[in-house]
Amino acid sequence: MSGFFKPYEGSRPFLFISYAHRQSDAVLDTIRILHEKGWRLWYDEGIPAGSDWPANIAQHMHSCERVIFFLSARAMESHNCYSEMKTAARMGKPILIVRLDNTTPDENWKIILDGNTEIPLLDSAAWRAEEILRSGFLPRRLHRSWTEQISWPGLGLVASLLLFLAAAGTLAALTTGTWSPSPAAEIPAETTAPRVTPTPVPVVELGEAERFFAVSFPDKQQEQAIRRALDNPADAIYRWQIAEIPELYFCGNMSVGSKAAVTFDADGTCRVNGAPVIQGKVSDLRLIESMVKLERLALICQPLDDLSGLSGHRLLRELSLAGSSVDDLTALRELPSLETLHLEYTGVRDLTPLEALPRLKTVTVSRNMLPLRWSEQAAFTVVLIRES
């Protein structure tokens, strides 16, 4: 059995865990996984010795936002579990039922549990935890922020130094100036990016009903790419799933489920995994705008006149616009986590808007884009691709 861990105590939204103590092993192994993944949860190991047990339970039940109940024959025999779930139902708390056996609730329990989401019986704690995460029951507001996960005591001088370096790096990136390399110049391939503070995880707030609205795809191109990203070839896809997609690749009329780098032939033909990119159009980017968890995105050979829809992607680390019609990068100033940007065969001539990006390390360009304009003080490196 995993050892006990400290339950959440605080004023932010959290989960209340209800279970039979005789099944602590299975329950703790499951909720420890959720705890380690950053979810705030409270279970009765957080009750101090000698305190008023019923009052403490009632207080946390009143304060919690949602309840996870581990259903079993032993839990249904527990007076404490029955009292907790009856209170949760009376308060209107959303309840997620996680089965630990195939017992059938009696009529009293059915009155309490009917209408709530249920996770079927699974053999391992890891599978139970994964199914809980996949259920859509946990809104992002129940997840610990990056500031909650930092151990602040003892940082002292080190923290001050890091903040100083971050400020200095940002100031350097904002310094204005111009420099135009000659078309034949080879551009250095390495640089050191300034250290910056972490980017908070974006939150997509969806109503309970809205979370389970099936997505209507604007075109076959997006449907193919999104289904591949979710490994879901046929079933309905819901709004909450769209918000969780970490990477997405569009290449003209072809979707690519690979992280392979984009390459170009001598005649300028764009290829991914050796396959030529077919010219085509993604007609509506509103679905992509809602994917705030994206870390990698490719919009290759797309007619992109407006990049403002990308401004909400605060976790985006790698972006490819290769072969697209983009020529203005101003909207990309709102991508604080961006590290790598592919601009080969675009109409871009001015890279100065990118100097506001504190984490940007590499910008790849092609010879047809030269000369380019950017500041000598820019923290990123511009890499000219070699063409055979």
Side-chain angles (χ1 to χ4, degrees):
M1 180 190 75
S2 299
F4 294 110
F5 58 88
K6 185 178 181 181
Y8 174 76
E9 291 287 355
S11 58
R12 300 188 181 188
F14 65 92
L15 291 157
F16 183 107
I17 308 299
S18 178
Y19 65 104
H21 275 249
R22 286 183 290 176
Q23 293 177 305
S24 293
D25 287 16
V27 172
L28 287 174
D29 284 346
T30 301
I31 65 175
R32 170 172 285 279
I33 296 173
L34 301 180
H35 169 74
E36 291 173 350
K37 288 183 177 293
W39 298 94
R40 301 188 204 101
L41 50 87
W42 184 91
Y43 65 116
D44 55 16
E45 286 301 318
I47 300 179
S51 65
D52 187 334
W53 187 285
N56 209 306
I57 292 287
Q59 174 192 340
H60 285 89
M61 178 62 74
H62 183 271
S63 302
C64 77
E65 181 165 314
R66 296 182 172 221
V67 178
I68 296 180
F69 173 53
F70 287 84
L71 174 63
S72 66
R74 289 179 175 176
M76 287 193 297
E77 294 168 359
S78 166
H79 172 75
N80 289 336
C81 286
Y82 183 77
S83 176
E84 290 165 5
M85 300 310 298
K86 187 175 180 180
T87 302
R90 177 173 53 81
M91 291 183 174
K93 305 284 185 180
I95 300 169
L96 179 66
I97 304 163
V98 180
R99 279 193 170 272
L100 295 180
D101 60 33
N102 280 320
T103 189
T104 301
D106 61 25
E107 290 303 316
N108 290 331
W109 275 101
K110 282 183 179 179
I111 293 173
I112 296 174
L113 300 180
D114 275 359
N116 291 294
T117 304
E118 181 174 316
I119 302 296
L121 178 62
L122 296 169
D123 292 338
S124 73
W127 290 358
R128 285 192 291 270
E130 181 179 354
E131 198 62 29
I132 291 171
L133 294 173
R134 287 166 56 89
S135 70
F137 182 76
L138 307 181
R140 291 298 304 178
R141 58 183 173 273
L142 299 181
H143 197 275
R144 296 195 300 272
S145 65
W146 67 269
T147 54
E148 293 178 84
Q149 300 183 53
I150 293 176
S151 178
W152 294 105
L155 290 181
L157 182 61
V158 175
S160 299
L161 179 59
L162 291 177
L163 289 173
F164 172 77
L165 291 174
T170 302
L171 181 61
L174 292 173
T175 304
T176 58
T178 62
W179 178 58
S180 297
S182 64
E186 282 299 328
I187 306 169
E190 295 183 359
T191 188
T192 301
R195 300 187 68 174
V196 295
T197 52
T199 302
V201 176
V203 176
V204 177
E205 295 291 352
L206 299 174
E208 287 304 307
E210 188 181 16
R211 289 179 63 84
F212 295 98
F213 284 166
V215 171
S216 177
F217 296 98
D219 51 61
K220 292 294 183 181
Q221 167 81 356
Q222 290 194 65
E223 180 174 4
Q224 181 184 4
I226 290 169
R227 286 191 178 280
R228 181 171 296 185
L230 294 173
D231 192 23
N232 182 349
D235 295 338
I237 292 176
Y238 300 99
R239 288 288 304 278
W240 69 269
Q241 294 174 299
I242 290 291
E244 299 292 324
I245 292 177
E247 53 189 47
L248 199 63
Y249 299 87
F250 291 106
C251 297
N253 290 332
M254 177 181 66
S255 61
V256 179
S258 166
K259 300 178 185 177
V262 176
T263 60
F264 293 86
D265 293 344
D267 62 357
T269 301
C270 176
R271 292 179 181 271
V272 177
N273 291 340
V277 171
I278 302 171
Q279 296 288 337
K281 179 181 178 181
V282 175
S283 61
D284 189 333
L285 297 181
R286 283 178 295 178
L287 274 181
I288 297 176
E289 291 176 19
S290 67
M291 299 175 190
V292 296
K293 297 292 184 63
L294 278 177
E295 296 184 16
R296 296 181 179 88
L297 174 64
L299 294 168
I300 300 170
C301 295
Q302 296 297 329
L304 300 174
D305 298 323
D306 183 6
L307 298 178
S308 60
L310 300 179
S311 61
H313 295 86
R314 303 188 62 81
L315 298 184
L316 193 65
R317 294 189 291 114
E318 183 172 0
L319 173 64
S320 178
L321 302 173
S324 295
S325 60
V326 60
D327 57 12
D328 183 1
L329 302 178
T330 304
L332 300 188
R333 293 167 61 95
E334 303 300 322
L335 301 179
S337 295
L338 192 64
E339 299 175 357
T340 304
L341 177 62
H342 300 277
L343 294 174
E344 302 93 325
Y345 293 93
T346 63
V348 173
R349 295 293 183 270
D350 184 3
L351 302 182
T352 55
L354 303 178
E355 294 168 18
L357 300 179
R359 296 186 180 182
L360 187 61
K361 299 175 182 177
T362 305
V363 179
T364 57
V365 300
S366 52
R367 288 191 181 279
N368 70 300
M369 298 169 61
L370 300 176
L372 284 165
R373 179 174 179 267
W374 77 93
S375 169
E376 293 180 335
Q377 287 75 36
F380 56 82
T381 296
V382 179
V383 177
L384 187 66
I385 64 167
R386 296 183 181 274
E387 302 173 27
S388 56

